[in-house]
Structure formats: C-alpha cells, structure tokens
Amino acid sequence: MPKGTLRHALAAVAALGLLATAAPGAAAAGAASAAAPTSASAPTSASVPASASVPASASVPASASVPASGSVPASPYGQLLPIADLSAQRLLTADQVAAAKWGTDSPIDDPERERQVLEAVAEQARALGADPEATVRIFRDQIEANKLVQRGLYRQWEADPAQAPTERPDLSKVRLEINRINGELVRAIADSARARAERSCTGRLTVAALRVRHDRQLDALHTVALERALPSVCAPNGT
C-alpha cells in the first residue's frame, strides 16, 4: 500500500488534533475526493480528547456503524470499514497493555507473544480459506502499531507522572480481549479479499480510517498508530 493518501490524511489529522477546523468536513471531503469512492461518506467533525491517554480500565466499545464480522458487505468500502474499525479497537487495548506493564519488568517488545499471535492468525486464515501470508503481513503492522501506542504512553507518563495509571489491569484478561478482536479481524481480512485487491483500495481505506477516527474520537497518538496499523491491508496492486 502506498504511503501517500492514507499517511498524509491521517498525519494531517493527527498534527491538527482535529478533523475539521473552520470548514467542518473539509479534511474528510478532501480524502474522499482523492479516494473517489462514490458510495462512501466521511465524517464531518470530531473533537479530540485533551490527553492522548485512555483510562486503563476503559472497555473497547463496539461501533454500531460497522457491519458485523462474518457477513460480506456489498460494497468494497463496506468490506474495508470493519478492518479499520477493528484495528482501532485493537489499538485501544494498547492503553491497557501499557498500564499492565508499567512499572514492571515486562518489556513492551515481547517476541514470544508476537510469534504466538502470528501463528494463531495464520492458522485461523487457513481455516477460513484466506491467504495466511497476507494476514500475517497485516498483523505485523497491527503489532507494531500497538507498541507505538505503548511507547507513546510511556513517554507521557515519564514526562508527567500524574498521568501514570494508578491501577494495574490483569494482562491475561486484556489479552483475551485482544484475541477476540484478532479473530474478528482475521475474518474481516478474509471477507475483504476482493476490496483489498482493487486499485481503489487505498482511497477507500483512507475514507474508512477517517470515519473510524471520527467515530471513536481517536486522539493524535492513536490516529498516528492507526495509520501504522494499515499499510499492508491493500494488496500491492490495490492502489
């Protein structure tokens, strides 16, 4: 996936700290114009939390606007939207992972855990008749994006200890939630093979990411991480 449209759109949003300024909808409309998916509509406004940190005990909400996994949406945009939304859900768990590891000997980088995740999603992809190699590529990006959030939160907490978590989530329970999201994401990847192979994939994915960013009110840190999570979603020719 080219690093142009999606990176520039989400990077601009992260830098500004909002989706629209004097002309609500302008940023999303620009991305939609570049993407040219006629059936997709982008968000018109967003407000960003002052802090890039989400409470460690916060749950990951479900988005009512995203099609349920397991059913293939009719439109290519509808196939890509669940991938963007599940990626955002996965990123929100990074806050809890960081809080669980903060002040312990547990490192952010966990090669053994990463290996287990990649092996599991590859096996799930095979069971669904999907491409395990493409699935693993996408999940490598997901893992790096998750660590990007953790490192960003660590920097915030080190700079301002008052923002550091005061409660330690149970990492084993957090990982159960991550595993659930992983399973849904594998299904969404399997269900979107056609959309991911189309030349318009990058543009449609950009609009989907902007919509998810608006719906889930992602702050600058999580917006940058969402961009990091998605570069391998579109097939090499799906530009």
Side-chain angles (χ1 to χ4, degrees):
M1 175 180 176
K3 297 181 179 179
T5 307
L6 177 60
R7 169 163 294 184
H8 291 159
L10 288 178
V13 168
L16 290 172
L18 44 82
L19 188 62
T21 54
S33 175
T38 56
S39 62
S41 61
T44 58
S45 64
S47 60
V48 180
S51 170
S53 175
V54 176
S57 60
S59 59
V60 178
S63 174
S65 62
V66 177
S69 61
S71 61
V72 181
S75 71
Y77 170 78
Q79 294 180 37
L80 295 171
L81 182 58
I83 295 178
D85 187 68
L86 288 164
S87 297
Q89 290 186 46
R90 199 177 190 282
L91 287 173
L92 293 175
T93 67
D95 298 56
Q96 299 177 58
V97 174
K101 293 181 177 180
W102 176 252
T104 73
D105 294 331
S106 298
I108 290 176
D109 290 282
D110 188 345
E112 178 59 22
R113 165 67 178 172
E114 293 172 20
R115 182 190 64 78
Q116 292 172 359
V117 169
L118 294 177
E119 289 180 354
V121 300
E123 184 60 32
Q124 291 170 20
R126 292 188 192 95
L128 293 171
D131 183 349
E133 292 184 2
T135 302
V136 167
R137 283 196 300 272
I138 293 170
F139 268 89
R140 287 190 190 279
D141 291 334
Q142 297 284 324
I143 290 170
E144 291 305 314
N146 191 289
K147 292 190 291 187
L148 187 155
V149 171
Q150 293 181 53
R151 293 189 182 104
L153 291 174
Y154 270 36
R155 286 193 295 270
Q156 290 180 25
W157 298 339
E158 289 167 353
D160 183 3
Q163 293 189 30
T166 57
E167 297 180 1
R168 193 181 310 283
D170 185 334
L171 186 56
S172 64
K173 292 181 179 179
V174 177
R175 284 177 170 170
L176 288 177
E177 174 65 6
I178 294 173
N179 290 344
R180 180 194 67 78
I181 295 171
N182 288 351
E184 292 189 19
L185 184 53
V186 172
R187 169 71 68 176
I189 293 168
D191 287 347
S192 62
R194 176 172 60 87
R196 291 186 294 104
E198 292 191 0
R199 292 184 60 83
S200 57
C201 175
T202 298
R204 290 192 170 107
L205 184 61
T206 299
V207 176
L210 287 169
R211 174 176 172 178
V212 168
R213 187 266 173 196
H214 168 266
D215 288 350
R216 293 194 175 274
Q217 300 292 289
L218 299 184
D219 59 22
L221 174 61
H222 292 79
T223 297
V224 171
L226 181 60
E227 182 270 329
R228 180 64 185 87
L230 298 175
S232 296
V233 170
C234 295
N237 295 327
T239 59

